[in-house]
Every structure is written in C-alpha cells, then in structure tokens.
C-alpha cells in the first residue's frame, strides 16, 4: 500500500496513521503500487494462498503479518443455480453465498482488514453504528484482536444479532433512531472519548475486505467477469469495492477490459439510490421513514452514495427496488430450490432479477451473479415456524401427516 487517495478531491494521505475521511469530507481509498506489481504478481499465485480473502494478500493493507486478524473470512462458495422451479430458464446463473462467513454475513470481510489496521495503528477502542451484521462482525474481530468495541444499533435490530454482539463482549447500545442517528452518536464519541470510528466508508479499510468479492468472482469464473452482478445495496461498500477490484485486476494484467453491468438492489421502503439514479443525480437524498425487514438495506442516506451512483453509470448498470413481500417470497424460493437459506437481502437480488427478466432488460441466458450477503438464520423472526403438533399416543396419528 502506498497511500490513501481521496475519491472526491484526489488528495493523498499517509496510510501510517489512523484516519477517517479526507479533509474535504471525501472517502479515502487505499492505493497500491500496481504498476510495480504488474508482471511480478501472478494471478495463479493466489491458489497457493489461504482459503480466505487473505489469498489476495499483496493487494490488501496491514504491514506486519502478526497484526492480521483472520477468522476464516472470504473465499466463499459460488454455486451454479440449480434449474428447478422458477430457476428453470436460467442457464448461466450463479449464487455467491456469503452465509458461510464468520458471524454469518459478508460484513466479516470488511472487519478483518479494518480491525487488523486499527490494531496495527494503535487503536484500543473502536465504535460503529450498525443495522446489525456489521456490529456482530466488529464485535467478533475486536474480541479476537483484544480491542473494545462500542456498537450502536437501532432499538428494533433483530434480537439474535443484539445477543450475538453482547456475547462477543462488545458494549452494545440500542438507539431510538435509524443507523444515521446511531452514526451521529459514534462521531460524537469518537471526538470526546477517542474511539476509532469504524463507520461504513468513513474508515478506509472495510472496503478493502469487501473488494475481495470482486477478486473471487473473477477467480471462480476463470478470470472472466460475468455480464451482470446483482448486489443488495445499503451503504454500498461491496458494490464500489468490487468496482475498485476490477480496475486493480486490469492494472495487474489479470483481466481484460470487460466489466459486468452492476445492479444495486434496494427495498421499496428504503430506496434512496434507486430514486437518485432515476433522477440522474450524482448523490442521494435521505429516505424519510425508512422501513424494510431487510435490515442491511435500511440505510436512508449512504456516505458513499456518489461512488455507488458513479459505478452504476460507468458500468451501464441500474438500480431497482423490490417490496418486502417480493424479497421474502424470493428468499423462500431460493431455500426450497437451491438448498441455501439466504438472508432477506439476498432474496431481494433474486426478486430483482426476475423483474428485470420480465421487463426484457436481462436475458435469462446471460451470465449473472447474485449476491447472497448472509445467512437467513440470522433473521429467525422472518422464517416460517408453523408446523402441526402430533400426539404419538393417538393410534390414527399418521392420518394427520400429508
Ligand atoms: C450490510 C448488509 C448489506 C448491505 O451491504 P453494503 O455493502 O453496506 O451495501 C446487505 N446484506 C446484508 C446481509 C448486510 O448485512
């Protein structure tokens, strides 16, 4: 890593100290000596690396190997969709399944380098606002690193995720407000208490972990990117991270110029990016009274909105919203036909794909990757639970079994 570069004004900063945003308020991206690595960093070399995102070690931060905090994140499976039920017409569809990650969501990817860097650069206490999964991932990696994590979540965050954060020893607080309100408390505490603020994209290294999804999609498809990528978009870290990864891989000589069209999927109850994209804006307007059961998508205004919108336009992609009913139905369809129980956010990508195919925008024979960003087991309140109760002493007990 050579520097941190501002995505707004282009100013560069030293990666030797812990910083958040550029002085202009822009998001910072880590930069590497890719020209120097070209020809020396062979894409086949990654096969010899660990079965985690750290297989792409030379394009990841952290100077001293001893500071790398890994719990086995990344290098998740990507399954060709089984052509059953509503999946029948899709001949080249893949599901990248992030459920097997530590803490059961892809938030682990971001937290591994972020907590590693916080440790390397001397932080003792980290803090973040979270709609749920980022909080539990931060809590787990902070526990592994021996750091204290302060997690601020909306007071209606799924109970299991709250318990999970507490179990990892984090200081957990429930806030009467959404993630942006939680973010304000973290920013205030960072100033007065000296916590390092780990908020999405306000911190330069979470995006580095999320970008590895882009490296993995390329590696798992034989170094040829797909036609479309469907990504459930909240803060957008993974979407912009993958786009960064594609540019890096081209600079390294690992892939050519072909890029997928990127689709940001949101919920109708919180669709600031869909609105901004439709109106041709370069940033988004806060979505008032945001609500959706897909808590990872409940981000009323993303700090990285300008980067997300840039990626959608550069990739000739688009943004689309689906209702909670549609995404929950899609979640069930994936579970029943694929044997993967996705999170509701993952369900949203399948619902969006079906809509775009119905509209004729996407052909079911194109090469498509859907991101299931976490396990459905983290949202037990959304899963079906009705099952008949049997009395084993009733001689006609099996008559009730259909
Ligand atoms: C956080 C989260 C998202 C949104 O991810 P971003 O990179 O912030 O857009 C999607 N799905 C799940 C399960 C999440 O936890």
């Amino acid at each position: 890593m050579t520097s941190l570069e501002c995505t707004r004004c282009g100013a560069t900063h030293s990666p030797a100290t812990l910083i958040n945003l550029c002085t202009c308020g822009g998001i910072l991206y880590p930069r590497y000596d890719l020209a120097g690595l070209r020809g020396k960093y062979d894409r086949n070399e990654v096969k010899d690396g660990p079965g985690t995102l750290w297989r792409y070690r030379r394009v990841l931060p952290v100077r001293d190997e001893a500071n790398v905090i890994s719990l086995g994140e990344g290098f998740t499976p990507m399954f060709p969709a089984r052509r059953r039920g509503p999946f029948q017409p899709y001949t080249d569809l893949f599901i990248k399944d992030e459920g097997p990650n530590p803490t059961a969501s892809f938030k682990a990817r971001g937290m591994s380098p972020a907590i590693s860097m916080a440790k390397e650069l001397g932080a003792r206490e980290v803090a973040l606002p979270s709609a749920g999964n980022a909080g539990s991932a931060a809590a787990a990696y902070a526990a592994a690193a021996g750091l204290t994590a302060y997690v601020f979540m909306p007071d209606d965050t799924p109970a299991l995720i709250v318990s999970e954060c507490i179990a990892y020893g984090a200081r957990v607080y429930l806030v009467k407000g959404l993630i942006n309100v939680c973010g304000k408390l973290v920013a205030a505490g960072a100033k007065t208490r000296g916590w390092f603020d780990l908020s999405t994209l306000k911190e330069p290294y979470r995006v580095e972990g999320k970008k590895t999804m882009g490296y993995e999609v390329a590696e798992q498809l034989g170094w040829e990117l797909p036609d479309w990528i469907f990504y459930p978009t909240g803060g957008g870290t993974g979407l912009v991270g993958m786009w960064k990864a594609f540019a890096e891989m081209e600079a390294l000589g690992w892939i050519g110029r072909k890029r997928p069209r990127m689709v940001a999927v949101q919920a109708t109850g919180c669709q600031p990016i869909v609105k901004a994209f439709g109106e041709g804006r370069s940033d988004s307007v806060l979505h008032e009274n945001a609500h959706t059961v897909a808590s990872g998508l409940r981000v009323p205004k993303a700090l990285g909105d300008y980067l997300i919108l840039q990626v959608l336009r550069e990739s000739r992609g688009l943004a689309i919203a689906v209702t909670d009913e549609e995404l929950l139905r899609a979640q069930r369809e994936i579970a029943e036909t694929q044997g993967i129980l996705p999170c509701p956010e993952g369900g949203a990508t399948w619902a969006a794909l079906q809509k775009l195919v119905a509209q004729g925008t996407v052909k079911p024979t194109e090469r498509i990757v859907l991101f299931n960003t976490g396990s459905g087991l983290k949202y037990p309140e959304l899963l079906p639970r009705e099952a008949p109760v049997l009395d084993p002493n009733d001689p006609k007990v099996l008559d009730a079994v259909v």
Side-chain angles (χ1 to χ4, degrees):
M1 185 171 42
T2 51
S3 66
L4 295 170
E5 184 184 26
C6 179
T7 54
R8 255 194 215 282
C9 75
T12 57
H13 301 260
S14 161
T17 50
L18 271 180
I19 56 170
N20 288 111
L21 296 173
C22 180
T23 40
C24 80
I27 290 164
L28 298 177
Y29 271 179
R31 296 297 183 197
Y32 303 81
D33 178 18
L34 298 172
L37 280 174
R38 193 185 171 104
K40 295 198 195 89
Y41 190 17
D42 184 339
R43 66 189 190 189
N44 295 314
E45 194 181 300
V46 303
K47 287 198 197 80
D48 305 325
T52 71
L53 60 79
W54 293 98
R55 67 203 280 103
Y56 311 104
R57 182 71 180 94
R58 294 170 81 178
V59 285
L60 288 171
V62 185
R63 223 168 270 278
D64 182 352
E65 205 59 36
N67 291 323
V68 171
I69 308 293
S70 175
L71 295 168
E73 57 291 322
F75 208 53
T76 52
M78 186 156 75
F79 300 108
R82 291 165 205 277
R83 297 181 57 193
R84 200 166 286 131
F87 287 87
Q88 212 286 324
Y90 294 84
T91 54
D92 209 4
L93 174 62
F94 293 84
I95 300 175
K96 179 74 169 152
D97 187 14
E98 294 292 304
N101 274 301
T103 68
S105 89
F106 75 152
K107 289 296 195 300
R109 286 183 185 268
M111 289 304 166
S112 181
I115 296 283
S116 300
M117 284 304 287
K119 185 180 163 73
E120 181 159 88
L121 298 177
R124 292 275 180 83
E125 299 186 319
V126 296
L128 80 164
S130 168
N133 288 324
S136 62
Y141 284 85
L147 306 182
T148 303
Y150 290 84
V151 181
F152 296 80
M153 297 192 281
D155 59 359
D156 59 351
T157 299
L160 178 78
I161 299 182
V162 177
S163 304
E164 192 188 2
C165 294
I166 299 170
Y168 285 122
R171 315 253 165 103
V172 181
Y173 298 92
L174 300 178
V175 179
K176 293 178 184 144
L178 292 187
I179 189 166
N180 51 325
V181 178
C182 298
K184 285 186 184 141
L185 289 180
V186 169
K191 266 208 187 102
T192 57
R193 310 275 192 95
W195 306 330
F196 181 62
D197 187 339
L198 279 179
S199 301
T200 304
L201 291 172
K202 211 171 174 184
E203 179 284 338
Y205 303 109
R206 284 173 63 182
V207 68
E208 293 303 284
K210 290 261 191 105
K211 84 177 178 188
T212 58
M213 294 187 290
Y215 280 88
E216 287 176 26
V217 166
E219 183 183 349
Q220 291 171 322
L221 292 176
W223 305 106
E224 171 110 25
L225 296 175
D227 300 315
W228 294 90
I229 289 182
F230 283 65
Y231 184 82
T233 305
T237 328
L239 186 103
V240 303
M242 283 192 274
W243 199 246
K244 180 175 190 285
F246 301 153
E248 290 178 359
M249 284 189 284
E250 189 178 350
L252 288 169
W254 289 11
I255 60 167
R257 298 190 63 178
K258 181 187 167 179
R259 293 288 184 277
R261 298 175 74 176
M262 305 295 282
V263 180
V265 181
Q266 299 202 299
T268 48
C270 183
Q271 47 169 321
I273 298 297
V274 178
K275 280 213 174 97
F277 184 78
E279 290 165 5
R281 297 175 54 98
S282 56
D283 58 7
S284 66
V285 177
L286 185 133
H287 190 118
E288 299 286 351
N289 304 317
H291 63 88
T292 167
V293 294
S295 46
L297 304 185
R298 210 167 46 154
V299 180
K301 162 111 175 111
L303 184 69
D305 53 3
Y306 65 102
L307 295 173
I308 300 170
L309 290 159
Q310 255 171 36
V311 169
L312 297 182
R313 296 205 173 95
E314 273 179 41
S315 76
R316 298 184 304 119
L318 58 106
I320 180 172
V322 298
T323 65
D324 277 10
E325 200 186 338
E326 288 167 333
L327 64 88
L328 287 173
R329 196 195 57 228
Q331 179 191 33
R332 291 281 291 270
E333 285 172 358
I334 295 173
E336 290 174 0
T337 60
Q338 308 298 316
I340 297 167
L341 180 55
C343 57
E345 296 85 348
T349 63
W350 168 232
L353 172 58
Q354 288 173 286
K355 274 194 165 173
L356 291 177
V357 166
Q359 285 171 19
T361 310
V362 179
K363 288 193 216 60
T365 50
E366 290 182 282
R367 178 161 280 192
I368 304 158
V369 173
L370 301 181
F371 267 88
N372 171 40
T373 44
S375 167
L377 291 177
K378 296 204 79 171
Y379 308 71
E381 60 288 328
L382 298 180
L383 299 177
R385 66 188 75 198
E386 52 301 329
V389 177
L390 299 180
D391 174 4
N393 297 322
D394 177 353
K396 290 189 172 169
V397 58
L398 284 179
D399 291 358
V401 177
V402 291

